[in-house]
Amino acid sequence: MTFTPANWPRKLRSQEWYGGTSRDNIYHRGWLKNQGYPDDLFDGRPVIGILNTWSDLTPCNGHLRDLAEKVKAASGRPGVSRLRCRCSAHPKTHSVRRR
C-alpha cells in the first residue's frame, strides 16, 4: 500500500460540513450555533474535533481528560476552531456498576 498525498490546496472536511447551502450544511451550522458557537466558526477555517472518553466512573480513562486539554491547547493556532466533545464510556463492563 502506498500513500498518495491529496492535491493542494484541498477543500477541508469542515468546509464540506459547514460551508455549503444544502440542507445538511444548514443543519450542521444550526446545531453548533444553537450551542453558542460564533458565526466566524463557519468562514472556511479548519475545525478540529477533540473526542474524549474520560469519565468519573471509569478510572482507566481518567488520564484522557488532561490529554484532551493538552491537545486543545496545542491546536490553538490562529484561524483554527476547536470543538471538544465528551463521549461517556458506558460503565456496564466496569466494576463500579451497582448490581
Side-chain angles (χ1 to χ4, degrees), residues 51-63:
L51 185 62
N52 185 3
T53 60
W54 74 271
S55 171
D56 292 333
L57 298 176
T58 54
C60 58
N61 293 337
H63 67 288

Side-chain angles (χ1 to χ4, degrees), residues 18-19 28-30 32-33 37-45:
Y18 305 116
H28 291 145
R29 284 193 304 268
L32 291 178
K33 286 182 179 182
Y37 288 99
D39 288 336
D40 63 356
L41 177 72
F42 314 108
D43 63 1
R45 71 181 73 190

Side-chain angles (χ1 to χ4, degrees), residues 81-93:
S81 297
R82 298 170 314 276
L83 304 176
R84 190 174 59 176
C85 174
R86 186 172 147 232
C87 177
S88 59
H90 197 282
K92 183 177 181 179
T93 59

Side-chain angles (χ1 to χ4, degrees), residues 11-31:
K11 188 171 185 179
L12 300 173
R13 193 177 319 165
S14 53
Q15 290 172 327
E16 293 176 10
W17 274 54
Y18 305 116
T21 58
S22 73
R23 181 185 64 188
D24 290 340
N25 299 132
I26 293 169
Y27 285 163
H28 291 145
R29 284 193 304 268
W31 289 331

